[in-house]
Amino acid sequence: FVRRGANCVLPKPTNYATLMSALDLAIAHSASKDYPPSQQESTGACLPLASDAVQDQLPAAPSPCPEILRILIVDDVKSCRKILNRLLSSHGHKCTEVDDGDTCVSLLGDDPSVCEFDAILMDNTMVRMNGTEACKVLRDKGFTVPIVGVTGNVLAEETEEFVRRGANCVLPKPTNYAKIMAVLTRIR
């Protein structure tokens, strides 16, 4: 496996700590400048912004967030919202959940100066209004709050469209606290 490009091989059964350490190592490796871009994208590291030629290096471990963030979680799948909420809340962040882009746009209203959120984590595929449409509406209204796409749609065309419409970055599902904080630290 390693000769064919794997960063490491874990024996079965493995435990959560070993798996997370291996993933952190793979992500750190993939963010290095000498790592081939095609393999970099397949590791699950944050996909680069459309305008970035090279992905900034992600920290191997989450640095403690100096502030409590107010985060809006937008996903039509309740279990996905709950997982992100528990993950972020367990680190002290305040989360609000909504189930689609239309509800997100309605909740934020028309005045960007009174936005009560520090960041938005948004799925792309949702029923009434998808993530790319919601991003465009929010950016057209003047909202500058960081929007991180958290989606299973990580094909290059889908990701580029999400960024073109206003997402700052796109993380593939599943994600973890270290990846989310690394992205938010970079784009805030």
Side-chain angles (χ1 to χ4, degrees), residues 63-185:
S63 50
C65 190
E67 61 183 307
I68 301 301
L69 299 177
R70 297 161 302 163
I71 301 172
L72 178 59
I73 300 168
V74 185
D75 198 311
D76 61 331
V77 178
K78 185 176 182 178
S79 60
C80 291
R81 291 193 312 267
K82 295 297 178 196
I83 289 169
L84 283 173
N85 192 335
R86 286 184 188 135
L87 177 69
L88 296 162
S89 297
S90 70
H91 290 275
H93 303 292
K94 305 298 180 200
C95 299
T96 301
E97 300 175 23
V98 296
D99 63 359
D100 68 19
D102 188 49
T103 307
C104 169
V105 169
S106 295
L107 176 67
L108 293 175
D110 293 324
D111 188 357
S113 67
V114 295
C115 181
E116 60 186 63
F117 297 101
D118 300 307
I120 299 172
L121 302 181
M122 188 173 313
D123 185 26
N124 192 11
T125 305
M126 296 179 282
V127 178
R128 289 194 310 243
M129 180 185 289
N130 69 30
T132 56
E133 293 168 346
C135 281
K136 181 171 181 353
V137 170
L138 293 174
R139 296 306 189 214
D140 287 348
K141 288 182 176 188
F143 284 88
T144 59
V145 61
I147 300 173
V148 177
V150 181
T151 182
N153 296 341
V154 292
L155 295 173
E157 307 84 45
E158 300 276 340
T159 301
E160 289 167 8
E161 180 67 13
F162 215 159
V163 171
R164 237 188 335 274
R165 294 289 191 104
N168 296 85
C169 188
V170 178
L171 287 172
K173 287 179 183 176
T175 191
N176 62 39
Y177 185 76
K179 291 177 192 175
I180 293 169
M181 286 300 105
V183 167
L184 291 177
T185 299

Side-chain angles (χ1 to χ4, degrees), residues 31-71:
S32 69
K33 302 216 184 292
D34 60 338
Y35 200 76
S38 62
Q39 290 180 7
Q40 178 178 350
E41 290 181 27
S42 69
T43 64
C46 177
L47 298 171
L49 300 177
S51 61
D52 288 349
V54 177
Q55 173 66 35
D56 294 335
Q57 289 193 7
L58 295 175
S63 50
C65 190
E67 61 183 307
I68 301 301
L69 299 177
R70 297 161 302 163
I71 301 172

